Amino acid sequence: MINQILPFLSVAMASLSEEVLLVVKRVRQRKQDGTLYLMAERIAWGPEGKDRFTVSHLYADIRCQKISPDGKAKIQLQLVLHTGESTTFHFSNESTALKDRDVAKELLQQLLPKFKKKANKELEEKNRMLQEDPVLFQLYKDLVVSQVISAEEFWANRLSLNSVEHSLSNNNKQEVGISAAFLADIRPQTDGCNGLRYNLTTDIIESIFRTYPTVKQKYAENVPHNMTEKEFWTRFFQSHYFHRDRINTGLQDIFSECAKEDEKGLKSMVTQGVKNPMVDLLSLEDKTLDEGYGTATVPTTSNSSNKSLRENSNSAIIKRFNHHSAMVLAAGLRKAEAPSDQASETSSTDGNSRDSDLFQPPLKKVKLQEAIEYDDLQGDSVRKTISLNLKKSDRYSHGPIPLQSQHYSTSQDIINSISIIQHEMRSYKPRLTQVMSSSAASSAITALSPGGVLMQGGGQQTINQLVPTDVQSELKHLYTAAGELLRHFWSCFPVSTPFLEEKVVKMKSNLEKFQMTKLRPFQEKIQRQYLSTNLTGHLEEMLQAAYNKFQAWQTRRMMRKT
Amino acid sequence: MIPKLCYFLKLLVFIILNNLILKLKLNIDGLLVYFPYDYIYPEQYSYMLELKRTLDAKGHGVLEMPSGTGKTISLLSLIVAYQKAYPLEVTKLVYCSRTVPEIEKVFNIIYIFITHCIINSYFKIAFQIHFSSVKYLSFLALRFGKEVDGKCHSLTASYIRAQHHSNPSQPVCQFYEEFDAVGRQVPIPPGIYNLDDLKDFGRRKGWCPYFLARYAILHANIVVYSYHYLLDPKIADLVSKELAKKSVVVFDEAHNIDNVCIDSMSVNITRRTLDRCQTNVETLQNTISRIKETDAAKLREEYSRLVEGLKEANVARETDMYLSNPVLPDEILQEAVPGSIRTAEHFVGFMKRFLEYLKARLRIHHVVQESAPQFLKDIYEKVCIDRKPLRFCAERLRSLLRTLEIADIADFSAITLISHFATLVSTYSKGFTIIIEPFEDRTPTIANPVLHFSCMDPSIAIKPVFGRFQSVIITSGTLSPLDIYPRILDFRPVTVASFTMTLARTCLCPLIVGRGNDQVAMTSKFETREDFAVIRNYGNLLLEMSAIVPDGIVAFFTSYIYMENIVASWYEQGILENIQRNKLIFIETQDAAETSMALEKYQEACENGRGAILLSVARGKVSEGIDFVHHYGRAVIMFGVPYVYTQSRILKARLEYLRDQFQIRENDFLTFDAMRHAAQCVGRAIRGKTDYGLMIFADKRYARADKRGKLPRWIQEHLTDGSLNLTIDETVQLGKHFLRQMAQPFRQEDQLGLSLLTLEQLQSEDMLQKIAQIAQQA
């Protein structure tokens, strides 16, 4: 009944241009009677007799809805917002209250999820970041909760930083490989009248295309202008191509070409040879026996006429399996390899990276090394070395040398000096008579180690021994907070836009606020505890540096203006 | 300047400290041995003790130690230390290994070893050589060994060089000339040279690396090369003839050494060989008649030289040798070439007759098997060829080829082969057999006659090695049963020992699967191997294992044909499809390049976590040369017992010979042979103590004592009575349990004191007692 008057009402609400989905009359909010409107993007409530809404929430802001349990006297619906606020509606139309509420609830139920996805992403993201990163959380507490800077400012360059990364990881979702048995999954079923039914899913088709690009090509050529899709697949299954024990395919078969292509692919794969020399069976033997020597029966010219048909088809199956597995493997790797290839290309185009390529040991050496290594015989002392990745090797070997010094030592000098050292080391003999006894040495070492006789008194004690841990952690927080603020501050330079100008001024005031509200109380606390006051010296220096910078900038701006 | 120097100094000190302080110095029975690691396995210590004993006794040894326990490094450390301590007793280490990667590995270990002991540099030179490749170097453009050999010969042969003297436009090899002029006088700087290093060195000096290498072998302290350079008389004569008697020879991976010996003495002749030989003879004839017109003096000179018995008047001309005499040095007759083949024409006529006789022999329609004396008798009766001229065939041909100044020797490989056959068959009356087969057994309709002149007795080829060198060590991961090697190679070792692998956790799990879930016996026995149920059970086993084993599984079949058949029927039954759900499948083929590709893809699939299965063949190339470390092989399945194809006549003849001469029963030898290959296959997966893997023997016959007892001790001792006749389900359960246990983190501390020792632990009394039990004397 109410629904019927709905259009009129929506017209009556002149200010409203949105579509109204549901109107419920006689809904109380804060003990006031009114009408509840569910619109395309928001929910709103206006008190009786007025043509404006006193309550209006976007669906996106709503976290959830709650309803009063059945049997309760008051029939209510509560909306909880992300901010934590909530609004409660009381359905007060005696006869239809329950029904009204349920209708509203149902509709909300449908609407909310749609908006939730959109809106919550950002919020969830923020939430996630705070949860994952305790330092950030502490920072957030220090700066935002204590209202040094606003939440928007805090997130302003955090999110942008992160969203790039995030979107990247989204795009780079791991490729799903292909099941090796995808052809087996097409279980042919007899359909009762002397035919076979093949079940093809899009996944399987995708797999076929990815594994056998030639079939995809055929498909592109023939479908839809030569035949329908159904016809294509029917032919595919009829073709000997599908049956792996094929030996010869008829000429009229459109897939005979695919078979030939495959054959060619296999051959090229074989002729390409293997990269890993340890699995290269061709170079396995140091072949010294000439033809005709030895007992091994020389494989007589194995022309196919020699073999029976069955043997031929058997070896065809084996070939097909090898090929199929190789193709499946390749299809899985194809996507994954593309970006890495690109990366290597870009790295090599910047000119200097050739050096680092040169330092990579050749594959053969690596494989040999792997084959002869015994990790467990090796002590811990031999750490895994990381190959030095140099962009500019000459800079590394010469080091930063002051420009004025013109005196370079030639490589010959270096080699000479090495050989001298080598020579000396070889003939080095410890003068064992003049070393002190081991007991004397060990007592000297104990005397010199912390806590020993010689180490007492006057030694500088480190900060973590002097300061209680709670103060330490507080100091750490202060440092991170100050760091964050300063980062914001310094990121404004060079100040090129009015927006940045505005921001720099704001950040300056933020810094001052921080110094007043956070740093000062901390300093006072330290003084109260009679700790060395120099703890915050560095912090103050940093802030002072920022102020100085600000001052300099401001005076220059004034100068320019005048 | 100063900071740079400091930097180098620091680096240097660091390296020296690292080497000096941290590595072990062991006391092996009074010998100071530097060991380039911080820790040592107990069995390595034990191995070194036994080795020391062998060297002390100046005798030969047979030592079995599982792969992955650092056999090579122990060998090297000890022998090198011995060399240093007693430089007059042991002058040289000759290390022979089988495959090229294996040789390269050994070489790299030497490298590590020597760089770690840099301060005590007591090395002159170590060499790694494999010859066929060395020859490639001088002519980088050519790819095939034969072509290179021919080309090389055409530039360096003595007469070419002589011609060059009179006629400078005659091209010669600059590299060789340079080497010949100065190379022998200039000492090679101490160091470690592998093939590439030698090539570089040669290029810098402008010396031919091939001849440089041949020369350097004589002076090196350590030489690493492949078996053939010692065992094949044709090559050994060129390369290893002058090696000092006081050398220690090590044959690593020696489980197949008997086959290498036999191969080096055997010859096969087909109709194609004879046809090519025919053209060779014709060429010879033409050349002779041409030379007779132009330069008859040359032939006369050769004749008179032969009369005087100066077969090798200009022996020193090293470049003229292409392949040396095929028989062993002590069998070569030291007398003049008989008159009947002294003149060139007579010899060519003689070869023609011999060729015609062979052709006639190949024309038969039934299989003939005869001994060498029978053959000689027949040839005497039919074409009146005596034994003595036959023995000189190889020598005579070489002389003729040199006299005729035929540069491109590669073309004459067929006639060389025939002459070698002639010399061999007339020299050895025992230990060889001749089998003429008119067709292959599988294709009885297609005529393809082959004459197999086949060596039955591996001891013939290896005898001079044992006789000449004071210590020969035969070692491998799988030599069980140990007593059979001394018997078939006919030598008296002073030490025969098998070492187990001390383990902190049982990282290998041998299981014998005898039945399917339906209780049908699983076996590759000839009568039942085509049985549907057996094939299905094998398939189910693989399927179940593919579901529980992570990463790589390697499965070995008994023969290639058997594998083809099984794969086909698995395909028809849809078993392969189901396996594909779990892992990718790669299959070994008869084509080596294709298999290499499959192998690489297999490793790729294991590497990226997808997991794969490699179906392969025992006795194939994969089983002999490729290791499946860590995730490349978490399980090995051996389908059936890999017996050799017993219907082969050559094998039958060999078995007969073994029975008659060495009192080894046919069955014993066959089982021994099958089990050594099975052990090789399953051993491929365990390459070290941190590795782990399942070893599944899928044949009920493995459970029998005669089979099981022939497995290496380090496998046998983990084979419990409870795992001798399992069903597939039980296997899966045990495998699952094992894999889960093994997947737990395994740290060095877990091993320390048990299977990994520091110096202090090694020196403790009870550890030494424990170590004494590791070696089991056979």
Side-chain angles (χ1 to χ4, degrees):
Chain A
M1 192 179 67
I2 295 165
N3 286 347
Q4 279 168 358
I5 51 168
L6 193 145
F8 301 100
L9 257 169
S10 70
V11 174
M13 296 280 179
S15 65
L16 219 69
S17 59
E18 304 167 59
E19 186 191 358
V20 177
L21 303 175
L22 179 68
V23 177
V24 188
K25 287 204 158 190
R26 303 198 59 181
V27 177
R28 292 181 138 206
Q29 208 260 334
R30 299 203 179 184
K31 313 222 163 132
Q32 233 184 331
D33 270 329
T35 315
L36 185 71
Y37 301 90
L38 271 80
M39 282 168 285
E41 287 187 343
R42 56 182 183 149
I43 184 167
W45 179 87
E48 197 91 7
K50 292 193 178 146
D51 57 349
R52 60 181 183 85
F53 302 128
T54 52
V55 176
S56 163
H57 297 303
L58 288 173
Y59 292 132
D61 290 338
I62 298 171
R63 191 196 288 163
C64 62
Q65 57 168 335
K66 290 176 179 168
I67 52 167
S68 54
D70 289 342
K72 268 259 175 109
K74 277 188 181 173
I75 296 166
Q76 289 177 322
L77 179 118
Q78 190 185 39
L79 299 176
V80 183
L81 305 185
H82 288 304
T83 52
E85 298 165 39
S86 63
T87 315
T88 311
F89 300 108
H90 177 204
F91 293 83
S92 54
N93 193 345
E94 276 101 30
S95 55
T96 58
L98 198 64
K99 210 181 93 192
D100 286 347
R101 203 264 318 260
D102 285 347
V103 170
K105 186 197 80 177
E106 289 287 318
L107 192 59
L108 269 176
Q109 223 163 32
Q110 287 168 26
L111 288 170
L112 284 182
K114 281 188 213 161
F115 291 92
K116 206 170 229 164
K117 270 184 212 146
K118 218 196 297 178
N120 282 6
K121 215 155 227 170
E122 213 177 82
L123 207 72
E124 272 171 21
E125 181 63 30
K126 287 178 187 172
N127 221 337
R128 191 184 57 81
M129 279 173 70
L130 286 180
Q131 269 169 10
E132 280 176 4
D133 190 350
V135 182
L136 192 73
F137 185 59
Q138 185 60 41
L139 208 61
Y140 187 83
K141 276 204 294 199
D142 286 350
L143 298 179
V144 181
V145 178
S146 59
Q147 306 203 325
V148 177
I149 57 174
S150 71
E152 281 86 58
E153 264 176 322
F154 181 80
W155 288 115
N157 52 10
R158 293 252 159 223
L159 266 188
S160 66
L161 255 175
N162 218 274
S163 61
V164 177
E165 218 173 283
H166 188 69
S167 68
L168 231 155
S169 68
N170 255 351
N171 282 345
N172 254 4
K173 232 194 308 166
Q174 200 179 2
E175 272 300 321
V176 180
I178 298 166
S179 159
F182 66 83
L183 284 178
D185 288 333
I186 320 166
R187 271 286 136 82
Q189 295 163 335
T190 43
D191 60 357
C193 46
N194 237 353
L196 285 170
R197 277 177 66 91
Y198 287 97
N199 293 320
L200 264 182
T201 65
T202 46
D203 276 353
I204 293 174
I205 292 176
E206 167 79 13
S207 296
I208 292 174
F209 282 166
R210 271 173 67 188
T211 319
Y212 296 107
T214 47
V215 175
K216 186 175 186 177
Q217 200 187 327
K218 280 282 155 211
Y219 181 86
E221 277 170 21
N222 290 313
V223 180
H225 22 277
N226 283 349
M227 56 183 86
T228 64
E229 192 176 343
K230 192 177 170 197
E231 207 177 333
F232 179 83
W233 290 117
T234 315
R235 287 222 199 166
F236 177 78
F237 290 122
Q238 282 167 352
S239 153
H240 286 284
Y241 184 67
F242 176 62
H243 302 286
R244 292 185 208 168
D245 43 354
R246 73 205 149 116
I247 298 154
N248 37 13
T249 45
L251 279 175
Q252 77 290 350
D253 191 342
I254 57 164
F255 293 104
S256 64
E257 218 170 289
C258 295
K260 268 183 210 138
E261 280 291 315
D262 280 359
E263 206 81 15
K264 233 194 270 169
L266 192 67
K267 272 224 181 80
S268 76
M269 254 193 270
V270 168
T271 47
Q272 251 171 32
V274 289
K275 284 188 231 105
N276 180 355
M278 300 302 281
V279 299
D280 191 0
L281 294 170
L282 288 172
S283 63
L284 201 62
E285 252 171 272
D286 187 10
K287 188 96 183 109
T288 49
L289 288 177
D290 265 352
E291 192 186 335
Y293 296 99
T295 46
T297 42
V298 192
T300 48
T301 44
S302 55
N303 45 354
S304 50
S305 63
N306 240 341
K307 286 183 175 175
S308 67
L309 193 69
R310 173 150 180 81
E311 274 172 28
N312 247 334
S313 86
N314 283 355
S315 63
I317 291 174
I318 285 174
K319 256 193 185 159
R320 301 283 318 145
F321 264 105
N322 277 341
H323 184 241
H324 175 78
S325 298
M327 291 305 275
V328 167
L329 196 61
L333 292 176
R334 217 170 283 143
K335 289 276 166 55
E337 262 172 14
S340 71
D341 269 359
Q342 228 172 21
S344 70
E345 250 172 38
T346 51
S347 74
S348 63
T349 45
D350 66 14
N352 280 321
S353 68
R354 281 279 158 241
D355 266 350
S356 62
D357 294 347
L358 280 178
F359 284 111
Q360 298 295 326
L363 184 68
K364 186 174 181 177
K365 274 234 171 96
V366 175
K367 293 281 174 191
L368 266 178
Q369 204 58 41
E370 275 172 21
I372 61 168
E373 236 166 43
Y374 293 96
D375 313 333
D376 44 350
L377 283 180
Q378 223 57 266
D380 308 324
S381 54
V382 183
R383 286 163 303 248
K384 280 263 182 281
T385 51
I386 300 162
S387 69
L388 191 59
N389 206 353
L390 291 179
K391 287 282 176 195
K392 279 184 184 165
S393 62
D394 53 334
R395 274 185 70 178
Y396 177 78
S397 50
H398 291 298
I401 294 165
L403 273 176
Q404 60 266 34
S405 101
Q406 291 295 313
H407 182 78
Y408 276 92
S409 51
T410 61
S411 52
Q412 191 56 46
D413 287 344
I414 297 172
I415 290 168
N416 285 343
S417 55
I418 290 177
S419 68
I420 289 168
I421 296 169
Q422 247 171 355
H423 184 74
E424 279 176 5
M425 288 313 291
R426 207 168 286 166
S427 56
Y428 169 74
K429 280 204 185 71
R431 264 168 293 172
L432 291 168
T433 49
Q434 286 174 25
V435 287
M436 58 171 119
S437 68
S438 61
S439 62
S442 66
S443 71
I445 288 173
T446 41
L448 280 166
S449 42
V453 190
L454 294 171
M455 296 302 282
Q456 277 171 353
Q460 274 194 331
Q461 268 171 305
T462 43
I463 201 160
N464 56 359
Q465 287 164 327
L466 279 172
V467 182
T469 43
D470 59 324
V471 179
Q472 275 182 44
S473 71
E474 204 174 331
L475 186 64
K476 257 184 220 159
H477 292 321
L478 278 177
Y479 258 103
T480 43
E484 177 66 16
L485 284 173
L486 284 165
R487 192 175 64 79
H488 278 281
F489 174 80
W490 287 107
S491 70
C492 300
F493 290 97
V495 186
S496 50
T497 59
F499 170 73
L500 280 176
E501 261 176 46
E502 199 181 305
K503 188 178 175 190
V504 97
V505 175
K506 205 164 59 196
M507 286 324 294
K508 157 91 187 329
S509 67
N510 279 345
L511 281 174
E512 279 164 348
K513 216 194 290 175
F514 172 78
Q515 199 174 9
M516 291 308 294
T517 57
K518 294 265 164 183
L519 200 55
R520 281 284 147 71
F522 180 69
Q523 277 167 330
E524 280 158 19
K525 186 176 157 198
I526 293 173
Q527 271 165 3
R528 251 180 280 127
Q529 296 185 345
Y530 306 110
L531 291 169
S532 96
T533 49
N534 209 20
L535 280 180
T536 53
H538 180 239
L539 272 174
E540 275 170 350
E541 267 172 42
M542 288 201 298
L543 290 174
Q544 199 53 50
Y547 297 154
N548 287 348
K549 175 77 183 172
F550 185 76
Q551 226 81 56
W553 171 74
Q554 216 165 24
T555 47
R556 208 181 312 146
R557 196 172 59 147
M558 292 305 195
M559 300 257 289
R560 212 177 301 151
K561 271 186 182 168
T562 55
Chain B
M1 184 74 200
I2 299 296
K4 262 180 279 165
L5 210 71
C6 276
Y7 165 73
F8 279 117
L9 198 75
K10 247 194 252 168
L11 202 74
L12 208 71
V13 170
F14 173 73
I15 293 170
I16 290 167
L17 287 183
N18 224 3
N19 289 329
L20 260 189
I21 297 171
L22 301 172
K23 307 306 171 190
L24 291 182
K25 282 182 200 163
L26 305 172
N27 174 1
I28 307 275
D29 205 6
L31 180 73
L32 177 68
V33 173
Y34 290 90
F35 194 72
Y37 289 105
D38 305 301
Y39 302 99
I40 186 168
Y41 297 139
E43 57 268 39
Q44 284 182 319
Y45 185 78
S46 174
Y47 188 87
M48 285 198 245
L49 277 179
E50 289 296 328
L51 195 59
K52 166 96 184 349
R53 242 164 255 167
T54 318
L55 295 187
D56 281 342
K58 294 190 172 37
H60 311 312
V62 177
L63 303 173
E64 179 189 60
M65 185 154 92
S67 44
T69 50
K71 199 170 22 176
T72 311
I73 192 72
S74 321
L75 260 168
L76 281 170
S77 308
L78 189 102
I79 295 178
V80 165
Y82 203 91
Q83 226 171 318
K84 165 140 169 93
Y86 311 103
L88 297 176
E89 301 292 320
V90 172
T91 52
K92 196 193 287 283
L93 165 62
V94 180
Y95 197 105
C96 303
S97 199
R98 223 155 33 83
T99 61
V100 174
E102 212 61 59
I103 288 172
E104 278 169 347
K105 264 190 231 167
V106 173
F107 192 74
N108 269 3
I109 291 174
I110 293 180
Y111 212 86
I112 290 185
F113 181 63
I114 288 175
T115 45
H116 277 256
C117 303
I118 195 163
I119 302 294
N120 315 285
S121 63
Y122 40 72
F123 287 96
K124 280 197 267 168
I125 317 160
F127 268 108
Q128 172 213 19
I129 286 158
H130 29 118
F131 260 88
S132 51
S133 333
V134 173
K135 273 221 161 178
Y136 295 169
L137 310 178
S138 37
F139 303 95
L140 292 167
L142 300 177
R143 278 219 52 174
F144 300 103
K146 247 187 205 175
E147 269 175 58
V148 176
D149 284 346
K151 190 86 202 273
C152 176
H153 188 262
S154 72
L155 288 181
T156 57
S158 51
Y159 52 85
I160 302 265
R161 300 180 58 223
Q163 277 171 23
H164 178 72
H165 272 295
S166 51
N167 172 20
S169 65
Q170 172 79 32
V172 290
C173 176
Q174 272 316 312
F175 286 105
Y176 178 71
E177 293 305 319
E178 197 66 30
F179 172 74
D180 197 44
V182 289
R184 264 177 273 267
Q185 276 79 47
V186 183
I188 304 170
I192 311 161
Y193 295 87
N194 71 1
L195 218 51
D196 293 333
D197 299 334
L198 213 56
K199 203 163 54 170
D200 270 0
F201 184 73
R203 193 174 291 136
R204 261 186 289 128
K205 296 273 184 182
W207 297 348
C208 171
Y210 169 68
F211 290 104
L212 179 63
R214 263 174 63 177
Y215 162 73
I217 280 183
L218 303 177
H219 299 272
N221 291 35
I222 303 176
V223 179
V224 184
Y225 57 27
S226 84
Y227 280 18
H228 305 284
Y229 301 111
L230 266 187
L231 292 181
D232 190 340
K234 300 186 280 296
I235 312 167
D237 188 42
L238 298 186
V239 179
S240 314
K241 194 162 69 178
E242 288 169 57
L243 290 186
K245 186 182 173 343
K246 289 186 170 173
S247 305
V248 176
V249 176
V250 175
F251 288 105
D252 199 356
E253 304 285 320
H255 46 271
N256 271 349
I257 194 168
D258 51 327
N259 292 337
V260 177
C261 292
I262 283 173
D263 271 355
S264 68
M265 302 290 281
S266 301
V267 174
N268 297 310
I269 296 170
T270 60
R271 193 171 274 169
R272 197 164 141 261
T273 327
L274 294 181
D275 290 344
R276 279 171 47 211
C277 187
Q278 180 78 44
T279 35
N280 285 349
V281 169
E282 276 156 23
T283 324
L284 278 182
Q285 205 162 20
N286 294 339
T287 325
I288 288 170
S289 55
R290 206 177 55 237
I291 284 191
K292 220 171 176 188
E293 284 160 22
T294 56
D295 197 2
K298 201 185 266 175
L299 290 175
R300 263 204 307 283
E301 189 197 322
E302 187 202 20
Y303 177 81
S304 56
R305 211 169 59 221
L306 294 174
V307 172
E308 286 161 30
L310 302 171
K311 304 188 299 269
E312 295 289 336
N314 40 5
V315 178
R317 300 271 70 92
E318 56 183 358
T319 49
D320 294 346
M321 303 280 233
Y322 168 57
L323 280 180
S324 188
N325 205 312
V327 296
L328 301 160
D330 47 349
E331 304 281 356
I332 294 170
L333 290 181
Q334 302 299 329
E335 48 189 292
V337 174
S340 57
I341 56 170
R342 241 178 249 165
T343 65
E345 293 111 319
H346 288 172
F347 177 63
V348 171
F350 176 84
M351 282 311 281
K352 252 182 171 170
R353 237 178 326 145
F354 185 57
L355 192 60
E356 285 309 317
Y357 172 74
L358 288 180
K359 274 188 183 163
R361 289 303 302 267
L362 280 189
R363 239 171 264 132
I364 46 148
H365 294 291
H366 55 93
V367 178
V368 176
Q369 180 176 354
E370 58 189 19
S371 65
Q374 278 172 318
F375 182 83
L376 289 177
K377 184 160 172 276
D378 190 56
I379 199 170
Y380 184 72
E381 281 168 4
K382 295 254 172 66
V383 286
C384 291
I385 289 182
D386 247 340
R387 181 168 173 230
K388 199 165 174 200
L390 272 181
R391 284 185 77 169
F392 281 96
C393 238
E395 292 286 331
R396 183 68 190 89
L397 180 71
R398 233 174 40 212
S399 165
L400 182 66
L401 289 178
R402 192 168 53 236
T403 311
L404 298 184
E405 301 186 355
I406 289 165
D408 201 356
I409 277 192
D411 284 351
F412 286 86
S413 63
I415 195 167
T416 315
L417 181 75
I418 299 288
S419 75
H420 283 175
F421 165 64
T423 305
L424 281 170
V425 77
S426 50
T427 305
Y428 296 101
S429 55
K430 242 178 71 181
F432 286 83
T433 189
I434 295 165
I435 296 168
I436 306 172
E437 288 179 323
F439 46 74
E440 275 183 69
D441 278 343
R442 284 196 297 147
T443 51
T445 48
I446 302 157
N448 181 23
V450 184
L451 184 148
H452 301 283
F453 176 68
S454 148
C455 178
M456 305 281 103
D457 188 350
S459 68
I460 291 175
I462 206 168
K463 200 171 161 212
V465 178
F466 282 124
R468 205 165 115 214
F469 299 107
Q470 70 179 26
S471 280
V472 177
I473 312 293
I474 289 184
T475 185
S476 172
T478 51
L479 284 176
S480 296
L482 287 172
D483 57 325
I484 208 156
Y485 283 90
R487 274 163 85 190
I488 58 175
L489 297 179
D490 194 23
F491 70 106
R492 311 262 162 286
V494 293
T495 36
V496 177
S498 170
F499 304 84
T500 56
M501 183 151 49
T502 54
L503 291 171
R505 54 168 192 180
T506 31
C507 67
L508 62 161
C509 177
L511 301 171
I512 297 176
V513 191
R515 300 164 285 154
N517 287 337
D518 48 6
Q519 301 300 326
V520 175
M522 248 201 258
T523 174
S524 70
K525 213 196 252 175
F526 189 73
E527 298 81 42
T528 55
R529 58 164 54 184
E530 300 298 331
D531 189 344
F532 198 71
V534 171
I535 293 177
R536 193 188 54 228
N537 275 333
Y538 274 160
N540 282 337
L541 175 65
L542 188 62
L543 177 59
E544 299 280 328
M545 295 316 290
S546 75
I548 65 155
V549 178
D551 299 320
I553 299 179
V554 193
F556 289 100
F557 293 85
T558 54
S559 75
Y560 193 80
I561 299 167
Y562 188 50
M563 179 174 83
E564 265 190 354
N565 287 339
I566 285 201
V567 166
S569 51
W570 281 352
Y571 170 64
E572 278 154 21
Q573 293 170 31
I575 291 173
L576 283 182
E577 284 175 355
N578 287 324
I579 293 172
Q580 273 186 321
R581 277 177 221 280
N582 301 326
K583 288 186 190 302
L584 292 174
I585 297 175
F586 294 98
I587 305 169
E588 179 178 356
T589 65
Q590 271 161 330
D591 179 82
E594 224 173 291
T595 311
S596 305
M597 197 266 304
L599 202 59
E600 192 179 48
K601 298 277 176 210
Y602 166 81
Q603 293 200 340
E604 209 173 293
C606 294
E607 197 72 63
N608 74 5
R610 189 158 186 135
I613 292 177
L614 184 72
L615 303 182
S616 181
V617 177
R619 291 163 198 283
K621 281 206 159 128
V622 172
S623 73
E624 285 293 318
I626 305 294
D627 288 347
F628 296 97
V629 285
H630 295 292
H631 58 286
Y632 292 137
R634 283 300 180 213
V636 190
I637 306 175
M638 185 72 234
F639 289 115
V641 184
Y643 279 112
V644 68
Y645 175 62
T646 45
Q647 302 304 306
S648 144
R649 291 187 185 80
I650 298 175
L651 180 75
K652 278 183 181 160
R654 189 172 168 204
L655 291 175
E656 229 165 81
Y657 185 84
L658 284 172
R659 192 189 56 208
D660 297 346
Q661 298 298 317
F662 299 114
Q663 288 77 46
I664 298 171
R665 276 182 298 151
E666 282 107 324
N667 243 334
D668 279 352
F669 182 77
L670 285 176
T671 312
F672 152 75
D673 186 59
M675 292 314 286
R676 71 172 162 182
H677 279 104
Q680 263 303 302
C681 292
V682 294
R684 292 279 136 197
I686 304 281
R687 298 275 126 169
K689 297 186 175 187
T690 50
D691 201 355
Y692 63 90
L694 279 167
M695 299 174 165
I696 296 173
F697 297 92
D699 194 311
K700 68 164 188 184
R701 288 177 291 173
Y702 282 109
R704 289 190 207 150
D706 67 318
K707 308 277 185 312
R708 198 156 35 103
K710 288 193 169 70
L711 283 172
R713 205 173 128 220
W714 57 277
I715 297 178
Q716 245 186 83
E717 55 179 20
H718 296 288
L719 203 57
T720 55
D721 284 343
S723 56
L724 289 186
N725 189 16
L726 302 168
T727 64
I728 293 173
D729 272 349
E730 288 161 350
T731 312
V732 168
Q733 286 315 314
L734 285 172
K736 252 189 197 163
H737 180 71
F738 170 77
L739 289 167
R740 200 175 302 140
Q741 261 186 338
M742 286 298 120
Q744 304 310 314
F746 184 59
R747 285 156 307 143
Q748 198 174 39
E749 296 88 77
D750 303 333
Q751 281 204 65
L752 213 58
L754 287 169
S755 57
L756 190 68
L757 303 176
T758 61
L759 191 57
E760 295 86 62
Q761 285 167 333
L762 184 66
Q763 280 156 350
S764 73
E765 203 51 47
D766 52 337
M767 184 48 81
L768 288 176
Q769 267 172 15
K770 254 189 226 165
I771 287 175
Q773 288 160 12
I774 290 173
Q776 190 190 49
Q777 313 286 333

